[in-house]
Amino acid sequence: MPGMRQLTVKTFQEMLLLACDAMIAAKTQLCELDGFVGDGDHGVTVERGFLAVKKELQSGSFASISALLEMAGDTLERSMGGAIGPIYGAVFSGAAEKAQGLQAADVCAFAGMLQEGLTQAMLLGGAKPGDRTLIDALSPAVESLCAENGEKDLGEALGRAALKAREGAEATRGMTAKRGRARFLGEKSRGYQDAGATSLSILIQAMADFCRPERFDRNPE
């Protein structure tokens, strides 16, 4: 079965719905991780944000991929609250800026969108790779996508990016937190996987899962 080469506005909306479900389902896992070094509410915050996005996706129609991403960014920033809401909002809003004018997204477009999302999140929060944040999952995923060099299969490319995101999240166990409440623990924050990096890796994995060829009986062009 041929792989998926690109997502239309309609299938991009469907992908975001699947991603919302994956993030909502991860509530307990994310709260448990956050409880080791934070206040234990990351899963609740993520659930609240992606439930709000899901509601907007189910009730609205969107003229472009940029409009979808802009809605998601605005909704997450408004509904999640705390420090993480603006960061997740920046990831999606940055991607929306890069998606201006796009009616379909291929591997190259995904790389550009996530690259801009990463840039905006780093500018807003001041975090960099190694600070034990969601940047540690997003950065290697972006690097993987940008290195695809002509790969046309979205499922394959996003699958590799998801693997890198998961590895990045797992690597936070060996890092000392420099952002958020966990930074006050210093070296005691080591040994525990960062909840924000984990939720970001779940998001990328859900996108990859949506683009698996078995989900489609044809290759949208």
Side-chain angles (χ1 to χ4, degrees), residues 20 24 46-56 58 75:
C20 285
I24 293 163
V46 165
E47 179 190 47
R48 182 169 62 244
F50 283 89
L51 276 171
V53 172
K54 181 177 180 178
K55 181 178 179 180
E56 293 292 329
Q58 290 176 324
T75 302

Side-chain angles (χ1 to χ4, degrees), residues 159-180:
R160 288 188 285 271
L163 174 60
K164 292 299 182 182
R166 185 166 64 252
E167 291 174 348
E170 292 170 352
T172 61
R173 295 172 186 163
M175 298 175 186
T176 300
K178 297 182 177 65
R179 301 283 169 179

